[in-house]
Amino acid sequence: QKEVEQNSGPLSVPEGAIASLNCTYSDRVSQSFFWYRQYSGKSPELIMSIYSNGDKEDGRFTAQLNKASQYVSLLIRDSQPSDSATYLCAVNLMGGFKTIFGAGTRLFVKA
Amino acid sequence: GAGVSQSPRYKVAKRGQDVALRCDPISGHVSLFWYQQALGQGPEFLTYFQNEAQLDKSGLPSDRFFAERPEGSVSTLKIQRTQQEDSAVYLCASSPLGTGNYGYTFGSGTRLTVV
């Protein structure tokens, strides 16, 4: 079992819709959780971090964490074509310095 | 500097050639990480420095891979006797704190192609 698992997609949503991206992780002592966005040919860019159970909102983005279910999600409201990218889920172990990445979910937002 | 700078952006190496990839982190950032990203995959951890100390090199695929950060700033990832399976994008990231718990800033990466 991979440490961080994501559906590779592609996930296709129409412009203006809500895109929902999901991630599960295997290590129960994971402490910090991140979503990175990676455009084709570019490097990953940190867009959200979440550390405690519940929701965290930043503009059109909402990260959701459920540690009991070992599940992290990212919602993108009012999706725009410019949101088309690969979204990487990443997890840090408690007290650790190493971040483990999932393989990413490709998102396409159709105009 | 304003961001993490990596050079070269692209490198084509003949199989068996040695290569050196450079990373210049954000000024003052304590932590520096190297990742390898194959096409269609997420970044895979290679190694971690806290200042000049290499605290974890568990991700280096073989003893052909070597990294250093002698003065706690610029880092170099060296690959000896390159093989085709080494072809990937090599990403450097830095973080101001001594942990990765607050996320990274990545450089633009070096795309290595071994022919």
Side-chain angles (χ1 to χ4, degrees):
Chain A
Q1 181 189 9
K2 286 191 173 182
E3 293 174 277
V4 180
E5 297 214 45
Q6 298 181 253
N7 187 323
S8 63
L11 173 65
S12 184
V13 301
E15 183 175 359
I18 295 175
S20 177
L21 305 163
N22 304 313
C23 170
T24 58
Y25 60 94
S26 60
D27 199 312
R28 289 194 169 274
V29 298
S30 296
Q31 183 182 43
S32 308
F33 307 86
F34 310 95
W35 285 98
Y36 286 79
R37 177 176 62 199
Q38 187 171 28
Y39 290 114
S40 181
K42 303 295 186 183
S43 60
E45 173 193 11
L46 180 65
I47 56 171
M48 289 289 285
S49 57
I50 186 166
Y51 305 100
S52 55
N53 282 329
D55 295 0
K56 178 181 177 183
E57 187 174 317
D58 184 0
R60 295 186 297 112
F61 298 99
T62 299
Q64 299 174 317
L65 174 61
N66 183 326
K67 290 188 178 181
S69 300
Q70 295 175 244
Y71 180 89
V72 192
S73 65
L74 179 70
L75 301 178
I76 306 175
R77 289 181 300 282
D78 188 24
S79 295
Q80 301 297 308
S82 59
D83 295 327
S84 298
T86 295
Y87 289 81
L88 299 164
C89 175
V91 172
N92 241 53
L93 300 180
M94 182 167 59
F97 41 73
K98 182 166 68 177
T99 297
I100 308 299
F101 287 82
T105 298
R106 287 181 296 152
L107 172 67
F108 291 107
V109 181
K110 299 173 294 185
Chain B
V4 179
S5 178
Q6 291 188 246
S7 61
R9 282 283 283 124
Y10 304 92
K11 176 68 180 178
V12 178
K14 290 185 178 179
R15 193 164 53 131
Q17 185 180 352
D18 296 351
V19 298
L21 312 180
R22 176 189 167 103
C23 173
D24 196 344
I26 294 173
S27 179
H29 275 200
V30 168
S31 298
L32 185 146
F33 307 82
W34 284 98
Y35 281 79
Q36 180 191 59
Q37 188 173 25
L39 191 64
Q41 300 299 313
E44 296 280 346
F45 173 81
L46 293 178
T47 188
Y48 162 65
F49 290 88
Q50 187 173 116
N51 296 308
E52 69 278 3
Q54 188 175 22
L55 297 187
D56 189 334
K57 55 181 182 179
S58 62
L60 296 177
S62 76
D63 58 8
R64 297 186 295 104
F65 286 71
F66 171 77
E68 61 183 4
R69 192 186 185 196
E71 297 178 357
S73 178
V74 171
S75 177
T76 303
L77 176 67
K78 298 179 179 178
I79 309 173
Q80 298 177 321
R81 304 181 303 282
T82 52
Q83 304 294 314
Q84 284 192 318
E85 62 263 28
D86 300 335
S87 295
V89 175
Y90 291 85
L91 294 164
C92 176
S94 70
S95 174
L97 302 174
T99 77
N101 281 339
Y102 301 96
Y104 302 157
T105 301
F106 279 95
S108 298
T110 293
R111 181 177 297 277
L112 173 65
T113 303
V114 181
V115 298

